[in-house]
Every structure is written in C-alpha cells, then in structure tokens.
Amino acid sequence: MKKITIIGTGYVGLVSGAGLADFGNEVVCVDINKEKVSQIEDGIIPFYEPGLNELVARNVETGRLSFSTNIGESVQESEAVFIAVWTPMGNDGEADLSAVEDAGRVIGQNLTDYKVVATKSTVPIGTGEFIRSIIRENSKGRAEFDIISNPEFLREGAAVSDFMIPNRVVIGTDSERALALIKEVYRPLFINETPMVITNIQTAETIKYASNAFLAVKISYVNELANLCDENGADIHTVTRAMALDGRISSKFLHPGPGYGGSCFPKDTKALVHQAKERGVNLEVVKAAIRANEFQKSRVTEKLERLMKNDLDNKTIAVLGLAFKANTDDVRESPVIPLLTFLAEKGCNVRAYDPKANKNMAKLFPDVNYCSSIEEAVKGVDAAVVMTEWHEFRGMDLARVGELMNEKVLFDARNLLSPNELNRIGFRFENIGRSSVR
Ligand code: UDX
C-alpha cells in the first residue's frame, strides 16, 4: 500500500481519499480551507453524500485517513499526490485552472523524492503537460516525478458506490514506474478485475469529457423527443422503454426532465466545445445539446404558464424539489433556479420543499418559503411543480395532496407520477412527453 496526499476535500477529493484509505492506503486529505478541514475532523461532512460519513469515519477510526491544512508537509511525506481541486467554468466555457496551478506549485516546492502526481479533477485536454511544467519549474530538479491523468466518474448521490465499484479505472501516463505505483494504490480493484484502461495522458483527459458530453447529449436528445411526443400524441415512456430494449441504446439517461444541471455537465460540455474550437474543431452535436438544454429550462416555464392558463401573476405555487437531481443537496446549475427566477418575476408566492437542498437554495432565493414536508409546501397553493426525482415525490399521497391544495393543478416535470391516478383524483396536470396519456 502507498502513502497518499489528496489535494482538495470536495466530493471528489473526500470520496476518493476515503475510498483509497478503504483500499488500504495511508491517506491525508488536505485543503487550504482551515474551517472545512476542522469540520471534517469533527466528523461533519460539509455536503450531503449518501454513505460518505460512514466511509470517512471508518477510515479515520483505523488511522488510515487523516486531514491537514499543511499541504507542503503532507506532499513531502507522500509517494503519490492526487490533485482533486475544483476547476470552475471561466469565461466562454474555458475551465479556470488557478486551483490546479496552485496545487502544482506546492507539489513542486515540496518535491523531496520521487512522487507520482495524479490529476483527478476534470481538466482540459493537455493540462497534464501544464502541470508537469509547473512542478518542474518549482522543483528545480530536486527530485524526479511522473504525471498521471486519473479522471473520476463519480455521480453526486452515488459517489461512494461509484468509487468503490467503478465501471472502469482510466489511467493516462507515459511512465511504467508511475503505472506500477498506481496499480498498487488501486490493488483491490485490480484483484477483482475492474476494467482498467491504460493509455496516454491526453487520451485519459479526453475520455472524461467524451463520457460526460455524451451523457449530456443523451439527455438533451430524450428531452427533445419528449417535446415532440407532447405534440404528436406519443408517450415518451413507451418510446424510451422500447428504445432501451436495444442493447446499443440502454435504458440509462433516457429520462426526460427540466434539463440537466449540476457542477459537471453544464461546465464540461462548454469546456469541451471551447477546447475543440481552440483547435479549429466544431463540435456541432455537443453545442446542440447545450442549446437544447437551455431551451428545456424555458420549456418548463412555458408549460407551467400554459397549465395556469397564462394567469400566474401573484399566484401561490409549490415547488417540490430544488436540488439538480435526487440524493444530493447540491443546487449548482439546478433547472429549478430559472423556474424560481421566473416565478419571482410573476410576483408568485413560492412554497418550496426539498428533502436535502432547502438550505442551499435559500442562499440564492431567500424570499421563498422553505417548508419541511410535501404537505406543508402544497397547503393552499394554486399549483404544484415537481422538479427533482426524489423517491419521496414518486410515492406521495396524491389524494391527500389534492385535498390540501387550493386548486388541483400539478406540473410533473420529471414524469414521476401516474397520469391515470392524477386524472382519477381530478388534477389538471402537465408532464414531459406524455400529454396524450390520461
Ligand atoms: C455526472 C456524471 O454522471 C458523472 O459520471 C461525472 O463524474 C460527473 O457528472 P452528476 O452530475 O453528479 O454526474 O449527475 P448525473 O446523475 O449524471 O445527472 C446529471 C444531470 O442530468 C442531473 O440534473 C439529472 O437530473 C439529469 N438527468 C440524468 C436527466 O435529466 N435525465 C437522466 O436520464 C439522467
């Protein structure tokens, strides 16, 4: 097993650090944010991620996982350093690499002996060489090192299982020595024959963007199909169910909704288009997916306005679901944000409920009434909108909800609810791509 430093304690760094400790490595997760590090040391994980508390606690208990703000000291004592800092979107879709650059600098300054430097953060293709040059410049030849691209494929809400049982591990490197070391780091996965893709750095960096952009294209494709089904009388549920029976298509990521959000798809699709444009390549398909995703958010407000017979002014609306997806408290790029903006412009009184994301959305929309249950949120409202695919909404008691509402009007933007049941209870309702199903 190896001594490892993980730079960055967000959901990639923390999940990867705790996971690598669980594989038997000795891991220190470091961050410049002292408050965040002391919170985590007190067992408080600063975001909701199912199973992460237990994974961290178990490995702190065994002494394999610890935390520090002294990045330099931790790097000096490590055999492998993972860069897991954030790479937010800068202007025109370009990724902001300042945190990556800072990490490279501190690694170079503390390169006391041979180390492998693995980048987990999603970085533009070619960044591996950028990191190599920063470390070389700051290490002044003190010791040798090798660079690896080791992108993560973690989904928020499923990050722990995605790390512990990955579909594949991608390793990009030009060094046999680095490859041997990283195989030791991931030894349990090698033993259970997890597929390993060993390639060069830029190919590994490309695999990450290619995967995320394809998933975004798939979502935009099914959203556009759903919009067509609304107009041609087809049922998108049956369309996608039949499509999924073709193994080449699969059932995954064929659920229409209000548009994709999160800290990855919006950023990674734009970053990929930007990188391609810099190399004179036009990614029409990915650009179309980005445009279709923006359109889908306006489709939600258009369908709600139509459902309300163009009379939304000063109405009371319940918004069920605030997070960009279920099983997370993350509201970054959530499609609920443009909806709340639209409702505010209409002077609507909004009552919102999300099992986990109320607090985070309240930072952006303090004037919304945040409720602690479905029943509290729908009480006396003129309409309800289901925006996040939480199981709790899938299974809610529609008869009870109907009784509590002022008007039985509902927009199911995730197709969670049975149109037949909504009809039977007397709802006037909309969904996505199932307008013919009653
Ligand atoms: C994504 C990738 O899945 C993951 O591999 C990568 O490492 C990080 O980015 P994440 O953004 O956490 O993960 O969530 P994901 O489950 O991919 O969903 C992204 C968005 O697409 C969410 O807004 C979700 O609601 C939406 N979505 C997903 C759909 O609208 N329909 C679907 O069928 C699936």
Side-chain angles (χ1 to χ4, degrees), residues 25-69:
N25 298 290
E26 192 181 320
V27 179
V28 184
C29 286
V30 295
D31 201 303
I32 50 175
N33 185 326
K34 292 188 188 317
E35 189 198 329
K36 196 175 182 186
V37 168
S38 58
Q39 253 191 343
I40 297 169
E41 284 176 322
D42 294 344
I44 302 163
I45 306 291
F47 51 86
Y48 175 68
E49 184 57 54
L52 183 56
N53 286 57
E54 297 78 2
L55 185 67
V56 168
R58 182 164 75 237
N59 286 282
V60 167
E61 182 66 33
T62 61
R64 283 197 296 261
L65 177 63
S66 61
F67 303 92
S68 168
T69 54

Side-chain angles (χ1 to χ4, degrees), residues 281-322:
V281 177
N282 200 7
L283 298 183
E284 286 299 346
V285 174
V286 180
K287 282 162 69 176
I290 294 168
R291 283 196 304 274
N293 195 55
E294 284 313 303
F295 174 77
Q296 198 64 7
K297 296 173 192 173
S298 61
R299 178 124 174 108
V300 166
T301 51
E302 172 211 313
K303 292 194 83 164
L304 176 62
E305 206 158 27
R306 197 184 324 147
L307 181 64
M308 295 299 286
K309 299 176 180 159
N310 293 318
D311 175 17
L312 257 168
D313 292 3
N314 307 314
K315 288 286 190 297
T316 300
I317 307 292
V319 176
L320 299 179
L322 300 170

Side-chain angles (χ1 to χ4, degrees), residues 152-154 156 208 219 253 255 261 264 324-325 414:
E152 49 81 18
F153 300 94
L154 309 180
E156 288 189 32
K208 169 69 187 182
I219 292 166
F253 279 60
H255 308 294
C264 298
F324 79 93
K325 62 179 276 195
R414 291 286 187 161

Side-chain angles (χ1 to χ4, degrees), residues 108-174:
Q109 290 161 353
N110 292 280
L111 196 77
T112 47
D113 57 3
Y114 176 74
K115 299 182 192 303
V116 167
V117 181
T119 301
K120 265 219 176 289
S121 303
T122 303
V123 291
I125 301 149
T127 302
E129 294 316 315
F130 171 60
I131 293 168
R132 194 197 304 271
S133 64
I134 293 171
I135 296 174
R136 190 171 285 142
E137 184 190 320
N138 286 278
S139 61
K140 301 186 178 15
R142 247 193 319 278
E144 289 185 350
F145 67 96
D146 283 310
I147 300 291
I148 281 187
S149 166
N150 176 217
E152 49 81 18
F153 300 94
L154 309 180
R155 291 165 296 164
E156 288 189 32
V160 170
S161 55
D162 284 349
F163 186 88
M164 302 308 280
I165 313 161
N167 290 327
R168 75 295 209 196
V169 174
V170 173
I171 306 283
T173 185
D174 49 14

Side-chain angles (χ1 to χ4, degrees), residues 2-7 75 78-83 107 111 113-119 131 135 143-150 171-186 201:
K2 296 296 171 190
K3 294 188 72 170
I4 293 170
T5 292
I6 306 268
I7 303 179
V75 166
S78 298
E79 297 167 274
V81 182
F82 284 80
I83 298 175
I107 293 168
L111 196 77
D113 57 3
Y114 176 74
K115 299 182 192 303
V116 167
V117 181
T119 301
I131 293 168
I135 296 174
E144 289 185 350
F145 67 96
D146 283 310
I147 300 291
I148 281 187
S149 166
N150 176 217
I171 306 283
T173 185
D174 49 14
S175 154
E176 285 304 320
R177 186 178 182 187
L179 183 57
L181 190 145
I182 208 79
K183 281 183 173 179
E184 266 306 293
V185 169
Y186 283 111
I201 290 176

